[in-house]
Amino acid sequence: MKQPVADKVKFSDALWASIKRAGIARADVLRAARMPVSVMANEAPLSTAQFFALWNVLPELSGEPAIGLRIAAGLQGLAMRPSFLVAYHARDFRDALQRVARFKRLCVPEEICLDEHEDRGEIVVTWTYGNGQTTPSALIDTVFASLLELGRQGTATPISALMLELARPQNAIADYENYFGCRVRFGAEQDRLIFQRNDLDRPFVTYNAELLDILIPELDRRLEQQTRHATLAEQIRWVLRRRLTAGRLDIRAVATELAMSSRSLQRRLTDEGLTFQSLLSDTRHQLALEYLTDPELEIIEVAYMLGYEDQNSFFRAFRQWEELTPTAWRSTRKLLPQPNG
């Protein structure tokens, strides 16, 4: 079985600084996204759902549908994470994008895919723990704009995209066309940034082979360690997230998925001070909060997706988690600022 990347995201200081440059106070973002105290104190990593919640409130707080473009521009000149640092010193634009795709997983459970066809290179971004949620528009814009800025700064040329495709309804089209220098198609099937293939061949003036020789072995070591040593709890949560909709899951089914006996799995859980039921409950709790933010899902559908045999069992569990019914909790979300499309 492929080892999972943990559902942990660290909201970097550089990102907070860029958001501040855009005129949005950190306290306002955390309050609007209803973050727990540990996140407000910057003491705990975020889950993907929490990370998405932060990004979702930014357009409303700023009053700018294209706020992600300003955030990306504000990141320039700030301290970069290692995944972007090695990219800025890559051999060419293609090499830079490939290095970002490889090493960004050290920071976030995000997959950047570069697929080349004849005269073009297409970039698509997915989130390992997105679970069908719509990726926040501000996050998509920031990622795509940051990749474009990487190419522009590395090559020292005003590269433009060939096309930008966005799955959302049309909004602020002039902002996007001016920034990316290309035609923008809204209502697309998938968010996609497309470059001319010959732009990917452009050499980087910032190429530094000596620095890469120093940084890359260490990043490779960290990536291998992260992939190989995912905790047992993370592996179990990974299986549970994938398999809950298939029906009731017991420890035998999870052990089979992890290629071990149920007795061995139980022994390892005991050694680590864990129980299967607590991991199952925690996973259901997190998924319930994610699913309930989607107004299109009926409560009974959410219960089914979490592997409950009936709606009443889900209601009882949810009241233990949140001291509210699922319906009441969902109603509180309607009072929060909603992101622009």
Side-chain angles (χ1 to χ4, degrees), residues 108-162:
V108 291
E110 177 187 21
E111 298 286 340
I112 296 176
C113 178
L114 172 62
D115 193 9
E116 296 188 48
H117 306 277
E118 297 183 355
D119 63 342
R120 61 177 57 188
E122 302 179 355
I123 296 174
V124 172
V125 178
T126 59
W127 286 79
T128 305
Y129 296 95
N131 294 309
Q133 298 178 82
T134 299
T135 305
S137 60
L139 176 56
I140 293 167
D141 296 347
T142 300
V143 172
F144 282 170
S146 296
L147 295 177
L148 177 62
E149 289 298 332
L150 169 63
R152 286 173 171 171
Q153 293 196 24
T155 64
T157 57
I159 292 175
S160 294
L162 180 62

Side-chain angles (χ1 to χ4, degrees), residues 50-318:
Q50 291 172 326
F51 189 62
F52 280 12
L54 288 177
W55 282 97
N56 271 328
V57 301
L58 294 177
E60 183 71 24
L61 290 175
S62 66
E64 298 180 43
I67 185 61
L69 304 183
R70 278 221 290 148
I71 293 173
L75 287 170
Q76 307 311 311
L78 298 176
M80 290 181 285
R81 282 176 163 167
S83 58
F84 258 78
L85 183 59
V86 295
Y88 270 91
H89 296 289
R91 184 180 300 277
D92 53 37
F93 192 17
R94 177 185 292 100
D95 184 32
L97 292 171
Q98 290 171 342
R99 293 190 190 281
V100 171
R102 175 167 176 77
F103 294 120
K104 201 170 185 183
R105 288 178 295 159
L106 288 169
C107 313
V108 291
E110 177 187 21
E111 298 286 340
I112 296 176
C113 178
L114 172 62
D115 193 9
E116 296 188 48
H117 306 277
E118 297 183 355
D119 63 342
R120 61 177 57 188
E122 302 179 355
I123 296 174
V124 172
V125 178
T126 59
W127 286 79
T128 305
Y129 296 95
N131 294 309
Q133 298 178 82
T134 299
T135 305
S137 60
L139 176 56
I140 293 167
D141 296 347
T142 300
V143 172
F144 282 170
S146 296
L147 295 177
L148 177 62
E149 289 298 332
L150 169 63
R152 286 173 171 171
Q153 293 196 24
T155 64
T157 57
I159 292 175
S160 294
L162 180 62
M163 180 179 287
L164 174 64
E165 297 181 350
L166 298 172
R168 75 197 74 152
Q170 182 171 317
N171 204 337
I173 187 169
D175 292 335
Y176 292 101
E177 290 184 341
N178 290 335
Y179 196 100
F180 289 93
C182 66
R183 186 167 66 89
V184 181
R185 184 165 74 90
F186 289 88
E189 182 179 342
Q190 188 175 36
D191 298 303
R192 194 189 321 266
L193 179 61
I194 304 170
F195 289 104
Q196 295 184 55
R197 195 166 186 177
N198 56 9
D199 281 335
L200 301 180
D201 296 327
R202 291 181 183 271
F204 268 27
V205 298
T206 50
Y207 176 50
N208 188 327
E210 291 77 14
L211 182 60
L212 294 179
D213 286 342
I214 295 171
L215 292 176
I216 288 177
E218 173 60 18
L219 291 176
D220 278 335
R221 185 191 67 78
R222 290 188 202 173
L223 188 61
E224 182 181 0
Q225 185 178 44
Q226 174 182 284
T227 303
R228 212 173 46 198
H229 296 292
T231 68
L232 179 62
E234 287 164 358
Q235 293 181 57
I236 291 173
R237 289 190 181 101
W238 171 267
V239 175
L240 291 173
R241 279 176 169 265
R242 290 176 54 240
R243 297 285 301 277
L244 272 173
T245 53
R248 186 178 181 86
L249 271 182
D250 58 21
I251 193 169
R252 292 181 184 177
V254 174
T256 299
E257 184 83 8
L258 295 174
M260 65 176 72
S261 69
S262 55
R263 181 176 297 179
S264 295
L265 179 56
Q266 183 61 65
R267 183 170 60 251
R268 288 187 57 185
L269 283 169
T270 301
D271 290 344
E272 295 186 20
L274 302 169
T275 69
F276 178 76
Q277 287 304 317
S278 67
L279 291 174
L280 175 60
S281 178
D282 289 346
T283 303
R284 279 174 160 166
H285 183 192
Q286 185 63 57
L287 285 174
L289 300 183
E290 295 173 18
Y291 293 149
L292 288 171
T293 59
D294 184 350
E296 299 298 320
L297 289 175
E298 300 289 341
I299 300 295
I300 193 169
E301 290 181 278
V302 174
Y304 168 76
M305 292 167 69
L306 297 175
Y308 286 100
E309 295 179 354
D310 58 73
Q311 186 171 295
N312 289 335
S313 297
F314 172 49
F315 268 63
R316 286 195 296 272
F318 197 88

Side-chain angles (χ1 to χ4, degrees), residues 14-49:
L15 198 48
W16 280 124
S18 183
I19 290 172
K20 183 178 180 180
R21 285 182 178 181
I24 309 172
R26 175 174 174 170
D28 291 341
V29 176
L30 294 170
R31 190 179 305 112
R34 298 176 66 91
M35 288 295 107
V37 174
S38 59
V39 173
M40 291 186 176
N42 206 29
E43 295 173 349
L46 303 170
S47 67
T48 298

